[in-house]
Amino acid sequence: MSLLSDLAIVTVLTLVYFVTLYLNWREEVRAVFKAAPILMLAQLVWKKVEVSRKHYFIFAGLILSASGDVALELKQGFKQHFITGLGLFLCGHLMYIVGFLMDKPAFVPKIALIIVTLAFTLFYILSQHLPSQLQIPVFTYVLVIATMSISSFGRFWSTKNLNKESCQYGALGSAFFMASDAILAINKFVSPIPYAQILIMITYYLGQIGISSSSLVEKSSTKTQKDFVENKNNSGKGNNNSK
């Protein structure tokens, strides 16, 4: 199947999750459907691991994110599940960072300053409302997601000759991810936002699709050369057999 066909399936799974929200199904069922689009993306990225080792880390980030989705969807014992979900997403972002760093992203001070300013302005606002036991975990998470976003944008100026589409998708994905987390945090700890759940999930899925697509659109010259050699050898064998 083409990339568009694969992403269409992800979109359908996303819509199914929104239906479970609208119908207010049991949280265990919602948790499964919430994670389903991310697991589909992980399965697609897994097919790319032979192209580059970095895709292992994008795959791992998606699996950790899907696990975080399940934890955050469960309302019973919310505080415990929130910390668990936060930790899983933090680890997922660390995987994304490692994957992006393998592309040798450049450090662009202006971009980094903008991202850090936005991230820590948000944390300052949140810190006025967060319980004391969440201050350090949330600060750490903000630091890590800001680093992930900086590394994704830095791929545009990498010393490696990277796929332009891949860089665009990665940067857009990280921006949507930060937007999703910002809406979630403000809605939960500062002030309710109209249609927050829909806004959070739309930007979240767009973020994960963007980050995944940064892997899915890449092609490997090494793999292409390998396929060419194999095809040539097979063609040669066929000619020999015909003689």
Side-chain angles (χ1 to χ4, degrees):
M1 286 194 296
S2 67
L3 176 58
L4 286 177
S5 299
D6 290 331
L7 293 181
I9 295 173
V10 173
T11 302
V12 170
L13 291 173
T14 301
L15 293 174
V16 171
Y17 169 66
F18 283 121
V19 170
T20 68
L21 282 178
Y22 179 76
L23 297 177
N24 196 28
W25 287 5
R26 291 177 55 185
E27 61 186 31
E28 295 86 354
V29 177
R30 293 200 310 268
V32 171
F33 284 104
K34 184 180 182 181
I38 310 304
L39 292 174
M40 178 64 185
L41 289 171
Q43 184 262 337
L44 295 175
V45 171
W46 179 254
K47 297 177 182 178
K48 283 284 188 177
V49 296
E50 62 182 10
V51 175
S52 170
R53 285 187 304 158
K54 95 171 183 189
H55 302 311
Y56 280 111
F57 295 100
I58 304 300
F59 170 80
L62 289 165
I63 294 298
L64 287 163
S65 295
S67 303
D69 284 330
V70 173
L72 291 180
E73 191 67 27
L74 301 176
K75 304 302 180 186
Q76 292 185 348
F78 171 75
K79 186 183 293 185
Q80 178 182 354
H81 289 141
F82 179 79
I83 293 293
T84 302
L86 193 70
L88 287 166
F89 275 109
L90 186 148
C91 291
H93 288 312
L94 289 174
M95 294 297 102
Y96 292 152
I97 290 170
V98 174
F100 290 147
L101 288 179
M102 293 181 75
D103 282 334
K104 299 181 180 178
F107 178 75
V108 185
K110 289 183 180 179
I111 298 295
L113 180 61
I114 292 171
I115 292 172
V116 169
T117 300
L118 290 173
F120 287 100
T121 298
L122 174 64
F123 177 74
Y124 175 76
I125 295 170
L126 292 175
S127 66
Q128 313 301 310
H129 304 271
L130 286 171
S132 57
Q133 65 269 30
L134 290 181
Q135 295 276 349
I136 292 177
V138 171
F139 175 83
T140 305
Y141 182 84
V142 168
L143 180 64
V144 170
I145 194 172
T147 303
M148 186 274 288
S149 192
I150 290 169
S151 64
S152 71
F153 275 88
R155 293 171 71 238
F156 277 110
W157 294 271
S158 172
T159 55
K160 297 176 68 176
N161 185 24
L162 300 179
N163 182 304
K164 187 176 180 181
E165 274 189 297
S166 173
C167 296
Q168 291 172 339
Y169 284 131
L172 282 172
S174 69
F176 276 120
F177 215 133
M178 287 190 70
S180 177
D181 283 345
I183 297 168
L184 185 153
I186 292 171
N187 181 69
K188 189 169 295 295
F189 298 111
V190 180
S191 178
I193 297 175
Y195 307 107
Q197 187 65 19
I198 294 175
L199 292 173
I200 291 165
M201 296 312 301
I202 288 176
T203 50
Y204 168 68
Y205 284 128
L206 287 174
Q208 294 283 31
I209 288 171
I211 291 171
S212 301
S213 295
S214 73
S215 287
L216 298 177
V217 299
E218 286 192 358
K219 296 180 181 179
S220 169
S221 59
T222 303
K223 185 175 184 294
T224 303
Q225 185 177 12
K226 180 181 176 182
D227 290 342
F228 174 78
V229 171
E230 288 179 352
N231 289 335
K232 186 177 180 181
N233 290 338
N234 291 335
S235 176
K237 289 178 181 179
N239 291 335
N240 291 334
N241 291 336
S242 63
K243 292 178 182 178

